[in-house]
Tab-separated table of all heavy atoms in Angstrom:
chain	number	residue	atom	x	y	z
A	1	MET	N	121.830	4.289	-131.206
A	1	MET	CA	121.177	5.586	-131.256
A	1	MET	C	119.661	5.409	-131.145
A	1	MET	O	119.067	4.567	-131.786
A	1	MET	CB	121.533	6.260	-132.575
A	1	MET	CG	120.989	7.658	-132.667
A	1	MET	SD	121.598	8.426	-134.157
A	1	MET	CE	120.246	9.544	-134.463
A	2	ARG	N	119.068	6.215	-130.319
A	2	ARG	CA	117.643	6.115	-130.088
A	2	ARG	C	116.865	6.674	-131.279
A	2	ARG	O	117.219	7.701	-131.831
A	2	ARG	CB	117.290	6.896	-128.827
A	2	ARG	CG	115.970	6.506	-128.220
A	2	ARG	CD	115.838	7.094	-126.854
A	2	ARG	NE	116.205	8.511	-126.838
A	2	ARG	CZ	116.080	9.289	-125.779
A	2	ARG	NH1	115.649	8.796	-124.666
A	2	ARG	NH2	116.417	10.557	-125.829
A	3	THR	N	115.839	5.973	-131.649
A	3	THR	CA	115.028	6.406	-132.781
A	3	THR	C	113.725	7.012	-132.268
A	3	THR	O	113.024	6.413	-131.474
A	3	THR	CB	114.703	5.221	-133.707
A	3	THR	OG1	115.920	4.624	-134.101
A	3	THR	CG2	113.960	5.689	-134.934
A	4	ARG	N	113.443	8.191	-132.714
A	4	ARG	CA	112.197	8.847	-132.338
A	4	ARG	C	111.109	8.531	-133.362
A	4	ARG	O	111.400	8.318	-134.531
A	4	ARG	CB	112.413	10.357	-132.253
A	4	ARG	CG	113.305	10.722	-131.072
A	4	ARG	CD	113.690	12.173	-131.112
A	4	ARG	NE	114.427	12.522	-129.886
A	4	ARG	CZ	115.084	13.659	-129.713
A	4	ARG	NH1	115.130	14.558	-130.665
A	4	ARG	NH2	115.713	13.904	-128.592
A	5	PRO	N	109.857	8.531	-132.926
A	5	PRO	CA	108.777	8.159	-133.854
A	5	PRO	C	108.532	9.229	-134.917
A	5	PRO	O	108.641	10.422	-134.646
A	5	PRO	CB	107.570	8.017	-132.922
A	5	PRO	CG	107.890	8.855	-131.743
A	5	PRO	CD	109.387	8.808	-131.578
A	6	LEU	N	108.224	8.739	-136.115
A	6	LEU	CA	107.814	9.635	-137.191
A	6	LEU	C	106.353	10.015	-136.977
A	6	LEU	O	105.518	9.171	-136.669
A	6	LEU	CB	107.954	8.936	-138.542
A	6	LEU	CG	109.352	8.875	-139.146
A	6	LEU	CD1	109.379	7.842	-140.261
A	6	LEU	CD2	109.793	10.228	-139.669
A	7	VAL	N	106.071	11.291	-137.113
A	7	VAL	CA	104.694	11.761	-136.980
A	7	VAL	C	104.375	12.676	-138.157
A	7	VAL	O	105.259	13.304	-138.727
A	7	VAL	CB	104.492	12.536	-135.649
A	7	VAL	CG1	104.674	11.601	-134.456
A	7	VAL	CG2	105.429	13.733	-135.546
A	8	PRO	N	103.103	12.760	-138.554
A	8	PRO	CA	102.763	13.688	-139.636
A	8	PRO	C	102.866	15.133	-139.160
A	8	PRO	O	102.451	15.453	-138.049
A	8	PRO	CB	101.314	13.309	-139.999
A	8	PRO	CG	100.791	12.541	-138.838
A	8	PRO	CD	101.969	11.966	-138.089
A	9	GLY	N	103.457	15.976	-139.996
A	9	GLY	CA	103.621	17.373	-139.625
A	9	GLY	C	104.385	18.098	-140.708
A	9	GLY	O	104.302	17.730	-141.880
A	10	TRP	N	105.168	19.089	-140.308
A	10	TRP	CA	105.996	19.759	-141.297
A	10	TRP	C	107.351	20.071	-140.699
A	10	TRP	O	107.507	20.231	-139.497
A	10	TRP	CB	105.323	21.019	-141.849
A	10	TRP	CG	104.941	22.024	-140.806
A	10	TRP	CD1	103.779	22.063	-140.101
A	10	TRP	CD2	105.723	23.138	-140.344
A	10	TRP	NE1	103.794	23.120	-139.235
A	10	TRP	CE2	104.963	23.808	-139.364
A	10	TRP	CE3	106.984	23.643	-140.690
A	10	TRP	CZ2	105.436	24.947	-138.715
A	10	TRP	CZ3	107.451	24.778	-140.042
A	10	TRP	CH2	106.679	25.424	-139.061
A	11	CYS	N	108.322	20.163	-141.597
A	11	CYS	CA	109.717	20.314	-141.206
A	11	CYS	C	110.049	21.793	-140.980
A	11	CYS	O	109.781	22.623	-141.846
A	11	CYS	CB	110.597	19.716	-142.301
A	11	CYS	SG	112.341	20.035	-142.068
A	12	LEU	N	110.616	22.079	-139.827
A	12	LEU	CA	110.973	23.464	-139.520
A	12	LEU	C	112.118	23.948	-140.408
A	12	LEU	O	112.243	25.144	-140.674
A	12	LEU	CB	111.387	23.574	-138.050
A	12	LEU	CG	111.651	24.984	-137.538
A	12	LEU	CD1	110.367	25.786	-137.457
A	12	LEU	CD2	112.346	24.949	-136.183
A	13	LEU	N	112.953	23.049	-140.866
A	13	LEU	CA	114.157	23.438	-141.603
A	13	LEU	C	113.879	23.663	-143.084
A	13	LEU	O	114.339	24.633	-143.666
A	13	LEU	CB	115.247	22.382	-141.428
A	13	LEU	CG	115.668	22.165	-139.959
A	13	LEU	CD1	116.733	21.097	-139.873
A	13	LEU	CD2	116.167	23.458	-139.337
A	14	CYS	N	113.134	22.760	-143.732
A	14	CYS	CA	112.864	22.931	-145.161
A	14	CYS	C	111.397	23.275	-145.421
A	14	CYS	O	111.022	23.547	-146.552
A	14	CYS	CB	113.291	21.701	-145.949
A	14	CYS	SG	112.263	20.249	-145.670
A	15	ARG	N	110.577	23.242	-144.377
A	15	ARG	CA	109.176	23.671	-144.431
A	15	ARG	C	108.302	22.812	-145.334
A	15	ARG	O	107.258	23.266	-145.813
A	15	ARG	CB	109.067	25.142	-144.857
A	15	ARG	CG	109.790	26.049	-143.884
A	15	ARG	CD	109.739	27.482	-144.343
A	15	ARG	NE	110.827	28.255	-143.727
A	15	ARG	CZ	111.169	29.474	-144.116
A	15	ARG	NH1	110.513	30.075	-145.093
A	15	ARG	NH2	112.162	30.097	-143.537
A	16	ASN	N	108.726	21.595	-145.589
A	16	ASN	CA	107.895	20.676	-146.346
A	16	ASN	C	107.035	19.873	-145.385
A	16	ASN	O	107.484	19.485	-144.311
A	16	ASN	CB	108.756	19.724	-147.172
A	16	ASN	CG	109.370	20.417	-148.372
A	16	ASN	OD1	108.738	21.241	-149.024
A	16	ASN	ND2	110.624	20.095	-148.668
A	17	ALA	N	105.805	19.623	-145.785
A	17	ALA	CA	104.916	18.790	-144.992
A	17	ALA	C	105.226	17.331	-145.266
A	17	ALA	O	105.623	16.964	-146.380
A	17	ALA	CB	103.466	19.095	-145.340
A	18	GLY	N	105.055	16.508	-144.256
A	18	GLY	CA	105.304	15.081	-144.426
A	18	GLY	C	105.523	14.442	-143.082
A	18	GLY	O	105.076	14.945	-142.056
A	19	MET	N	106.215	13.295	-143.085
A	19	MET	CA	106.519	12.610	-141.845
A	19	MET	C	107.788	13.212	-141.252
A	19	MET	O	108.812	13.322	-141.930
A	19	MET	CB	106.718	11.110	-142.105
A	19	MET	CG	105.465	10.428	-142.651
A	19	MET	SD	103.994	10.641	-141.608
A	19	MET	CE	104.399	9.510	-140.265
A	20	VAL	N	107.683	13.604	-140.007
A	20	VAL	CA	108.781	14.304	-139.363
A	20	VAL	C	109.036	13.711	-137.973
A	20	VAL	O	108.198	12.994	-137.435
A	20	VAL	CB	108.475	15.820	-139.226
A	20	VAL	CG1	108.459	16.497	-140.599
A	20	VAL	CG2	107.140	16.047	-138.528
A	21	VAL	N	110.182	14.034	-137.421
A	21	VAL	CA	110.492	13.618	-136.048
A	21	VAL	C	110.777	14.857	-135.207
A	21	VAL	O	111.267	15.869	-135.708
A	21	VAL	CB	111.697	12.651	-135.979
A	21	VAL	CG1	111.352	11.324	-136.621
A	21	VAL	CG2	112.933	13.260	-136.600
A	22	TRP	N	110.490	14.732	-133.929
A	22	TRP	CA	110.724	15.833	-132.997
A	22	TRP	C	112.227	16.019	-132.821
A	22	TRP	O	112.942	15.065	-132.570
A	22	TRP	CB	110.051	15.507	-131.657
A	22	TRP	CG	110.098	16.609	-130.667
A	22	TRP	CD1	109.341	17.728	-130.666
A	22	TRP	CD2	110.949	16.703	-129.509
A	22	TRP	NE1	109.665	18.508	-129.574
A	22	TRP	CE2	110.643	17.902	-128.854
A	22	TRP	CE3	111.939	15.867	-128.969
A	22	TRP	CZ2	111.285	18.307	-127.683
A	22	TRP	CZ3	112.583	16.259	-127.814
A	22	TRP	CH2	112.256	17.474	-127.177
A	23	ILE	N	112.713	17.213	-132.975
A	23	ILE	CA	114.145	17.460	-132.816
A	23	ILE	C	114.451	18.303	-131.599
A	23	ILE	O	115.598	18.535	-131.268
A	23	ILE	CB	114.758	18.121	-134.077
A	23	ILE	CG1	114.056	19.441	-134.404
A	23	ILE	CG2	114.718	17.176	-135.258
A	23	ILE	CD1	114.757	20.249	-135.499
A	24	GLY	N	113.422	18.790	-130.918
A	24	GLY	CA	113.665	19.534	-129.695
A	24	GLY	C	112.961	20.871	-129.729
A	24	GLY	O	112.416	21.278	-130.745
A	25	PRO	N	112.971	21.557	-128.606
A	25	PRO	CA	112.314	22.858	-128.567
A	25	PRO	C	113.186	23.943	-129.213
A	25	PRO	O	114.416	23.876	-129.172
A	25	PRO	CB	112.151	23.122	-127.072
A	25	PRO	CG	113.263	22.338	-126.429
A	25	PRO	CD	113.516	21.152	-127.316
A	26	VAL	N	112.542	24.902	-129.821
A	26	VAL	CA	113.224	26.109	-130.282
A	26	VAL	C	112.742	27.256	-129.397
A	26	VAL	O	111.577	27.277	-128.979
A	26	VAL	CB	112.951	26.413	-131.776
A	26	VAL	CG1	113.692	25.444	-132.664
A	26	VAL	CG2	111.470	26.386	-132.080
A	27	GLU	N	113.647	28.163	-129.108
A	27	GLU	CA	113.323	29.223	-128.158
A	27	GLU	C	113.571	30.595	-128.768
A	27	GLU	O	114.487	30.797	-129.552
A	27	GLU	CB	114.187	29.068	-126.902
A	27	GLU	CG	113.907	27.759	-126.187
A	27	GLU	CD	114.776	27.579	-124.957
A	27	GLU	OE1	115.658	28.418	-124.729
A	27	GLU	OE2	114.563	26.588	-124.240
A	28	HIS	N	112.688	31.500	-128.410
A	28	HIS	CA	112.824	32.883	-128.852
A	28	HIS	C	112.099	33.780	-127.866
A	28	HIS	O	110.934	33.504	-127.533
A	28	HIS	CB	112.249	33.059	-130.262
A	28	HIS	CG	112.093	34.504	-130.646
A	28	HIS	ND1	113.170	35.328	-130.858
A	28	HIS	CD2	110.983	35.268	-130.822
A	28	HIS	CE1	112.724	36.540	-131.151
A	28	HIS	NE2	111.408	36.537	-131.136
A	29	ASP	N	112.786	34.782	-127.384
A	29	ASP	CA	112.145	35.808	-126.572
A	29	ASP	C	111.408	35.228	-125.365
A	29	ASP	O	110.293	35.640	-125.040
A	29	ASP	CB	111.183	36.609	-127.472
A	29	ASP	CG	110.854	37.982	-126.876
A	29	ASP	OD1	111.642	38.455	-126.032
A	29	ASP	OD2	109.821	38.566	-127.258
A	30	GLY	N	112.032	34.239	-124.740
A	30	GLY	CA	111.455	33.659	-123.552
A	30	GLY	C	110.353	32.645	-123.791
A	30	GLY	O	109.794	32.091	-122.848
A	31	GLN	N	110.015	32.414	-125.061
A	31	GLN	CA	108.997	31.418	-125.374
A	31	GLN	C	109.639	30.266	-126.111
A	31	GLN	O	110.694	30.418	-126.723
A	31	GLN	CB	107.921	32.041	-126.264
A	31	GLN	CG	107.148	33.153	-125.596
A	31	GLN	CD	106.043	33.676	-126.481
A	31	GLN	OE1	106.274	34.118	-127.604
A	31	GLN	NE2	104.826	33.634	-125.976
A	32	SER	N	108.996	29.124	-126.061
A	32	SER	CA	109.522	27.975	-126.794
A	32	SER	C	108.401	27.259	-127.523
A	32	SER	O	107.226	27.395	-127.171
A	32	SER	CB	110.244	27.017	-125.850
A	32	SER	OG	109.324	26.387	-124.987
A	33	ALA	N	108.787	26.533	-128.567
A	33	ALA	CA	107.826	25.753	-129.336
A	33	ALA	C	108.523	24.470	-129.768
A	33	ALA	O	109.745	24.444	-129.939
A	33	ALA	CB	107.366	26.549	-130.568
A	34	PRO	N	107.760	23.387	-129.948
A	34	PRO	CA	108.369	22.154	-130.408
A	34	PRO	C	108.786	22.286	-131.868
A	34	PRO	O	108.114	22.938	-132.662
A	34	PRO	CB	107.255	21.111	-130.243
A	34	PRO	CG	105.998	21.906	-130.311
A	34	PRO	CD	106.318	23.257	-129.726
A	35	ALA	N	109.925	21.690	-132.210
A	35	ALA	CA	110.414	21.729	-133.581
A	35	ALA	C	110.500	20.308	-134.128
A	35	ALA	O	110.909	19.383	-133.438
A	35	ALA	CB	111.796	22.388	-133.625
A	36	TYR	N	110.114	20.162	-135.397
A	36	TYR	CA	110.143	18.874	-136.064
A	36	TYR	C	110.936	19.018	-137.356
A	36	TYR	O	111.004	20.096	-137.945
A	36	TYR	CB	108.724	18.401	-136.408
A	36	TYR	CG	107.882	18.119	-135.178
A	36	TYR	CD1	107.225	19.157	-134.507
A	36	TYR	CD2	107.749	16.821	-134.701
A	36	TYR	CE1	106.464	18.904	-133.385
A	36	TYR	CE2	106.975	16.564	-133.567
A	36	TYR	CZ	106.334	17.609	-132.913
A	36	TYR	OH	105.588	17.357	-131.802
A	37	ALA	N	111.557	17.914	-137.777
A	37	ALA	CA	112.314	17.943	-139.026
A	37	ALA	C	112.101	16.651	-139.797
A	37	ALA	O	111.892	15.588	-139.209
A	37	ALA	CB	113.799	18.138	-138.758
A	38	CYS	N	112.163	16.748	-141.132
A	38	CYS	CA	112.018	15.574	-141.983
A	38	CYS	C	113.329	14.779	-141.980
A	38	CYS	O	114.354	15.259	-141.503
A	38	CYS	CB	111.633	15.985	-143.402
A	38	CYS	SG	112.939	16.857	-144.294
A	39	GLU	N	113.289	13.598	-142.555
A	39	GLU	CA	114.447	12.711	-142.479
A	39	GLU	C	115.704	13.314	-143.134
A	39	GLU	O	116.769	13.269	-142.536
A	39	GLU	CB	114.096	11.353	-143.093
A	39	GLU	CG	115.154	10.293	-142.865
A	39	GLU	CD	115.565	10.148	-141.398
A	39	GLU	OE1	114.705	10.187	-140.506
A	39	GLU	OE2	116.770	9.997	-141.150
A	40	PRO	N	115.622	13.891	-144.343
A	40	PRO	CA	116.838	14.494	-144.907
A	40	PRO	C	117.403	15.611	-144.029
A	40	PRO	O	118.628	15.726	-143.884
A	40	PRO	CB	116.368	15.041	-146.268
A	40	PRO	CG	115.186	14.218	-146.607
A	40	PRO	CD	114.514	13.911	-145.303
A	41	CYS	N	116.544	16.412	-143.434
A	41	CYS	CA	117.028	17.486	-142.574
A	41	CYS	C	117.575	16.923	-141.268
A	41	CYS	O	118.530	17.465	-140.713
A	41	CYS	CB	115.923	18.496	-142.306
A	41	CYS	SG	115.500	19.476	-143.756
A	42	CYS	N	117.006	15.830	-140.779
A	42	CYS	CA	117.555	15.182	-139.585
A	42	CYS	C	118.958	14.664	-139.873
A	42	CYS	O	119.847	14.775	-139.016
A	42	CYS	CB	116.668	14.015	-139.146
A	42	CYS	SG	115.226	14.554	-138.225
A	43	GLU	N	119.157	14.112	-141.054
A	43	GLU	CA	120.485	13.626	-141.413
A	43	GLU	C	121.477	14.789	-141.444
A	43	GLU	O	122.599	14.680	-140.963
A	43	GLU	CB	120.435	12.919	-142.771
A	43	GLU	CG	121.771	12.372	-143.233
A	43	GLU	CD	122.392	11.399	-142.235
A	43	GLU	OE1	121.640	10.680	-141.544
A	43	GLU	OE2	123.633	11.379	-142.136
A	44	TYR	N	121.048	15.905	-141.992
A	44	TYR	CA	121.876	17.097	-142.014
A	44	TYR	C	122.201	17.549	-140.584
A	44	TYR	O	123.334	17.877	-140.256
A	44	TYR	CB	121.151	18.209	-142.776
A	44	TYR	CG	121.843	19.535	-142.734
A	44	TYR	CD1	122.971	19.759	-143.502
A	44	TYR	CD2	121.352	20.565	-141.926
A	44	TYR	CE1	123.620	20.988	-143.452
A	44	TYR	CE2	121.989	21.783	-141.876
A	44	TYR	CZ	123.123	21.997	-142.640
A	44	TYR	OH	123.751	23.208	-142.581
A	45	ALA	N	121.173	17.529	-139.719
A	45	ALA	CA	121.379	17.937	-138.332
A	45	ALA	C	122.340	16.992	-137.619
A	45	ALA	O	123.179	17.427	-136.830
A	45	ALA	CB	120.041	17.991	-137.599
A	46	ARG	N	122.222	15.685	-137.911
A	46	ARG	CA	123.134	14.716	-137.291
A	46	ARG	C	124.569	14.987	-137.692
A	46	ARG	O	125.489	14.908	-136.876
A	46	ARG	CB	122.744	13.290	-137.680
A	46	ARG	CG	121.573	12.747	-136.889
A	46	ARG	CD	121.401	11.250	-137.071
A	46	ARG	NE	120.838	10.913	-138.367
A	46	ARG	CZ	119.533	10.749	-138.601
A	46	ARG	NH1	118.671	10.901	-137.626
A	46	ARG	NH2	119.103	10.433	-139.801
A	47	GLN	N	124.786	15.326	-138.960
A	47	GLN	CA	126.145	15.635	-139.416
A	47	GLN	C	126.655	16.899	-138.735
A	47	GLN	O	127.829	16.971	-138.357
A	47	GLN	CB	126.150	15.809	-140.946
A	47	GLN	CG	125.950	14.491	-141.662
A	47	GLN	CD	125.888	14.669	-143.165
A	47	GLN	OE1	126.219	15.727	-143.680
A	47	GLN	NE2	125.465	13.640	-143.870
A	48	TYR	N	125.785	17.873	-138.580
A	48	TYR	CA	126.169	19.100	-137.901
A	48	TYR	C	126.569	18.820	-136.453
A	48	TYR	O	127.597	19.290	-135.963
A	48	TYR	CB	125.017	20.113	-137.944
A	48	TYR	CG	125.193	21.228	-136.957
A	48	TYR	CD1	126.158	22.210	-137.173
A	48	TYR	CD2	124.432	21.276	-135.802
A	48	TYR	CE1	126.344	23.221	-136.242
A	48	TYR	CE2	124.613	22.293	-134.876
A	48	TYR	CZ	125.570	23.262	-135.093
A	48	TYR	OH	125.760	24.243	-134.171
A	49	ILE	N	125.743	18.021	-135.760
A	49	ILE	CA	126.022	17.692	-134.356
A	49	ILE	C	127.343	16.932	-134.242
A	49	ILE	O	128.164	17.217	-133.362
A	49	ILE	CB	124.853	16.865	-133.766
A	49	ILE	CG1	123.608	17.743	-133.660
A	49	ILE	CG2	125.237	16.301	-132.403
A	49	ILE	CD1	122.321	16.970	-133.461
A	50	SER	N	127.535	15.974	-135.145
A	50	SER	CA	128.764	15.184	-135.121
A	50	SER	C	129.981	16.081	-135.354
A	50	SER	O	130.986	15.993	-134.640
A	50	SER	CB	128.678	14.101	-136.193
A	50	SER	OG	129.876	13.385	-136.258
A	51	PHE	N	129.881	16.947	-136.342
A	51	PHE	CA	130.984	17.860	-136.653
A	51	PHE	C	131.255	18.787	-135.472
A	51	PHE	O	132.399	18.986	-135.065
A	51	PHE	CB	130.632	18.682	-137.897
A	51	PHE	CG	131.646	19.755	-138.198
A	51	PHE	CD1	132.859	19.443	-138.791
A	51	PHE	CD2	131.375	21.082	-137.883
A	51	PHE	CE1	133.794	20.437	-139.052
A	51	PHE	CE2	132.304	22.085	-138.141
A	51	PHE	CZ	133.518	21.759	-138.721
A	52	TYR	N	130.205	19.317	-134.888
A	52	TYR	CA	130.351	20.265	-133.783
A	52	TYR	C	131.057	19.603	-132.598
A	52	TYR	O	131.965	20.183	-132.005
A	52	TYR	CB	128.972	20.766	-133.364
A	52	TYR	CG	129.019	21.770	-132.243
A	52	TYR	CD1	129.229	23.124	-132.522
A	52	TYR	CD2	128.864	21.373	-130.918
A	52	TYR	CE1	129.274	24.046	-131.493
A	52	TYR	CE2	128.917	22.304	-129.896
A	52	TYR	CZ	129.126	23.639	-130.184
A	52	TYR	OH	129.186	24.549	-129.164
A	53	ASN	N	130.666	18.384	-132.277
A	53	ASN	CA	131.247	17.706	-131.127
A	53	ASN	C	132.662	17.225	-131.398
A	53	ASN	O	133.476	17.146	-130.485
A	53	ASN	CB	130.356	16.554	-130.688
A	53	ASN	CG	129.146	17.076	-129.928
A	53	ASN	OD1	129.230	17.348	-128.740
A	53	ASN	ND2	128.037	17.240	-130.616
A	54	LYS	N	132.973	16.902	-132.644
A	54	LYS	CA	134.343	16.469	-132.976
A	54	LYS	C	135.327	17.611	-132.836
A	54	LYS	O	136.508	17.392	-132.611
A	54	LYS	CB	134.390	15.905	-134.395
A	54	LYS	CG	133.951	14.461	-134.446
A	54	LYS	CD	133.919	13.946	-135.858
A	54	LYS	CE	133.372	12.510	-135.865
A	54	LYS	NZ	132.827	12.155	-137.166
A	55	GLN	N	134.845	18.841	-132.977
A	55	GLN	CA	135.749	19.984	-132.805
A	55	GLN	C	136.402	19.959	-131.430
A	55	GLN	O	137.553	20.330	-131.275
A	55	GLN	CB	134.971	21.294	-132.965
A	55	GLN	CG	134.597	21.582	-134.403
A	55	GLN	CD	133.898	22.939	-134.504
A	55	GLN	OE1	133.012	23.251	-133.711
A	55	GLN	NE2	134.311	23.737	-135.455
A	56	TRP	N	135.638	19.554	-130.415
A	56	TRP	CA	136.156	19.570	-129.054
A	56	TRP	C	137.095	18.421	-128.782
A	56	TRP	O	137.853	18.442	-127.829
A	56	TRP	CB	134.989	19.546	-128.065
A	56	TRP	CG	134.012	20.645	-128.362
A	56	TRP	CD1	132.754	20.489	-128.838
A	56	TRP	CD2	134.227	22.059	-128.254
A	56	TRP	NE1	132.170	21.729	-129.020
A	56	TRP	CE2	133.040	22.687	-128.671
A	56	TRP	CE3	135.308	22.825	-127.843
A	56	TRP	CZ2	132.918	24.085	-128.684
A	56	TRP	CZ3	135.181	24.198	-127.855
A	56	TRP	CH2	133.993	24.815	-128.286
A	57	ASP	N	137.052	17.377	-129.642
A	57	ASP	CA	137.959	16.245	-129.483
A	57	ASP	C	139.228	16.432	-130.292
A	57	ASP	O	140.157	15.639	-130.177
A	57	ASP	CB	137.279	14.949	-129.956
A	57	ASP	CG	136.150	14.551	-129.028
A	57	ASP	OD1	136.196	14.980	-127.859
A	57	ASP	OD2	135.257	13.842	-129.458
A	58	ALA	N	139.266	17.439	-131.132
A	58	ALA	CA	140.383	17.582	-132.060
A	58	ALA	C	141.686	17.801	-131.303
A	58	ALA	O	141.781	18.621	-130.397
A	58	ALA	CB	140.114	18.739	-133.006
A	59	ARG	N	142.679	17.025	-131.710
A	59	ARG	CA	144.021	17.199	-131.159
A	59	ARG	C	144.863	17.971	-132.171
A	59	ARG	O	144.557	17.970	-133.359
A	59	ARG	CB	144.670	15.824	-130.921
A	59	ARG	CG	143.915	14.937	-129.965
A	59	ARG	CD	144.014	15.413	-128.516
A	59	ARG	NE	143.383	14.448	-127.615
A	59	ARG	CZ	142.117	14.532	-127.235
A	59	ARG	NH1	141.331	15.490	-127.704
A	59	ARG	NH2	141.609	13.659	-126.408
A	60	PRO	N	145.930	18.604	-131.734
A	60	PRO	CA	146.810	19.261	-132.704
A	60	PRO	C	147.312	18.279	-133.742
A	60	PRO	O	147.593	17.114	-133.421
A	60	PRO	CB	147.971	19.756	-131.839
A	60	PRO	CG	147.392	19.895	-130.453
A	60	PRO	CD	146.343	18.814	-130.353
A	61	ALA	N	147.347	18.731	-134.982
A	61	ALA	CA	147.658	17.825	-136.090
A	61	ALA	C	149.104	17.362	-136.073
A	61	ALA	O	149.416	16.298	-136.600
A	61	ALA	CB	147.366	18.504	-137.428
A	62	SER	N	150.013	18.141	-135.486
A	62	SER	CA	151.416	17.748	-135.549
A	62	SER	C	151.978	17.418	-134.168
A	62	SER	O	151.321	17.654	-133.179
A	62	SER	CB	152.264	18.854	-136.168
A	62	SER	OG	152.065	20.054	-135.438
B	1	ZN	ZN1	113.262	19.084	-143.919
């Protein structure tokens, strides 16, 4: 997994200032802005992404 650099800033998810990593653009009303998240929120986002993608791999249980 590729590691992105930590930069000083603030987390879009928990709004705490500190070292954050770029997580991608956020878009609203035709405009976009860069979004950053702290390490705990990145871990949460990774779990969300993993869960979301596993849904598409799910086979019937029986
Ligand atoms: Zn955070």
